[in-house]
Amino acid sequence: MPACDACHVHGCITHALENLPKNCPCLQEERPGQLYTGEEYTIAHNAALVESEGYGRNTRVEEIMDFAHKCGYHKIGLAFCSGFQAEADIFAKILRKNGFAVESVICKNGSHSKACLGVSREQQVRPQREFEPMCNPIGQAMRLAEAGTELNVILGLCVGHDTLFMRHSAAPATVLAVKDRALAHNPAAALYIADSYLNRVYRFIETKYPAPKTGE
């Protein structure tokens, strides 16, 4: 099975295809013409242009608009977290100022209780509240599909909720920002300090889910 994270050859980048690891995907990869046809070809082609034309200069906000314009997407769907209300408002204004139509759906759409998912009061973020609304990413995807969006943008959805949104999104989807409440929504910071201040990440599972003692 592939283990590209541990590779130091990187023949895929240099195109030096000799001495590759036996599990290198370069030895098994289908030809691009087999994988990228129709809309996939258009998306991949335009993504490469967005990368090269604004490399190191354009922000992700600008890259999303450039990508949408190149692909001919006019109606943009915005699936955002309630904690990103201010950011969603600004992003939608930017999109509209640049000629895009925007349909947006908040994560708490439908106002359903977390009890629907078997979450008890004690398991809620705020147990003191009688009602705590669940996030409804499938509902977000459904509402945007009904609106006929051509490209959906994810803004701050929780881990797992973003998984469900991407699974159910009828339109192609991209991400503007992800949620990391502990690191000001910069999850890569955990990687930069994993070998120093945040080395607890290497022991997270064994700490949170300790193996039962022998004989238990």
Side-chain angles (χ1 to χ4, degrees), residues 47-73:
L49 296 182
V50 169
E51 178 190 13
S52 62
E53 293 173 4
Y55 197 87
R57 183 178 69 257
N58 287 349
T59 65
R60 192 171 181 91
V61 167
E62 293 165 316
E63 287 185 338
I64 288 173
M65 292 190 290
D66 193 17
F67 174 71
H69 181 75
K70 289 182 186 302
C71 289
Y73 300 142

Side-chain angles (χ1 to χ4, degrees), residues 5-66:
D5 61 286
C7 178
H8 299 289
V9 178
H10 298 304
C12 56
I13 298 173
T14 63
H15 202 58
L17 302 182
E18 55 281 342
N19 302 318
L20 295 175
K22 292 182 179 180
N23 60 347
C24 179
C26 290
L27 300 174
Q28 304 166 343
E29 184 63 71
E30 296 84 354
R31 304 304 299 169
Q34 297 173 281
L35 299 176
Y36 297 92
T37 61
E39 186 178 22
E40 280 73 22
Y41 177 88
T42 300
I43 290 175
H45 174 82
N46 289 322
L49 296 182
V50 169
E51 178 190 13
S52 62
E53 293 173 4
Y55 197 87
R57 183 178 69 257
N58 287 349
T59 65
R60 192 171 181 91
V61 167
E62 293 165 316
E63 287 185 338
I64 288 173
M65 292 190 290
D66 193 17

Side-chain angles (χ1 to χ4, degrees), residues 1-215:
M1 298 298 290
C4 296
D5 61 286
C7 178
H8 299 289
V9 178
H10 298 304
C12 56
I13 298 173
T14 63
H15 202 58
L17 302 182
E18 55 281 342
N19 302 318
L20 295 175
K22 292 182 179 180
N23 60 347
C24 179
C26 290
L27 300 174
Q28 304 166 343
E29 184 63 71
E30 296 84 354
R31 304 304 299 169
Q34 297 173 281
L35 299 176
Y36 297 92
T37 61
E39 186 178 22
E40 280 73 22
Y41 177 88
T42 300
I43 290 175
H45 174 82
N46 289 322
L49 296 182
V50 169
E51 178 190 13
S52 62
E53 293 173 4
Y55 197 87
R57 183 178 69 257
N58 287 349
T59 65
R60 192 171 181 91
V61 167
E62 293 165 316
E63 287 185 338
I64 288 173
M65 292 190 290
D66 193 17
F67 174 71
H69 181 75
K70 289 182 186 302
C71 289
Y73 300 142
H74 174 68
K75 185 178 285 190
I76 309 298
L78 180 57
F80 70 96
C81 165
S82 58
F84 281 71
Q85 176 73 56
E87 293 87 342
D89 181 45
I90 295 170
F91 183 54
K93 287 177 180 176
I94 291 171
L95 290 174
R96 292 183 177 114
K97 280 284 189 179
N98 281 275
F100 296 99
V102 181
E103 304 285 346
S104 63
V105 185
I106 198 169
C107 62
K108 305 298 185 184
N109 69 94
S111 192
H112 304 296
S113 170
K114 285 185 178 179
C116 297
L117 300 175
V119 177
S120 68
R121 285 276 293 275
E122 294 72 24
Q123 293 172 316
Q124 293 181 174
V125 175
R126 299 172 181 83
Q128 69 276 14
R129 294 185 181 179
E130 182 176 348
F131 174 82
E132 187 164 276
M134 63 174 273
C135 292
N136 184 16
I138 297 179
Q140 287 176 296
M142 290 173 61
R143 300 291 85 79
L144 293 179
E146 292 167 358
T149 56
E150 298 164 301
L151 175 69
N152 290 333
V153 179
I154 299 171
L155 176 55
L157 298 190
C158 299
V159 171
H161 298 144
D162 54 3
T163 304
L164 287 170
F165 179 83
M166 288 185 280
R167 173 173 285 183
H168 290 271
S169 177
T174 190
V175 179
L176 173 56
V178 298
K179 177 177 291 174
D180 190 324
R181 299 177 182 90
L183 293 172
H185 312 306
N186 178 24
L191 308 180
Y192 303 141
I193 58 175
D195 291 320
S196 57
Y197 301 110
L198 203 65
N199 57 21
R200 71 176 194 239
V201 296
Y202 287 110
R203 305 182 303 278
F204 177 78
I205 292 297
E206 69 178 56
T207 302
K208 186 166 185 177
Y209 305 101
K213 296 180 181 178
T214 304

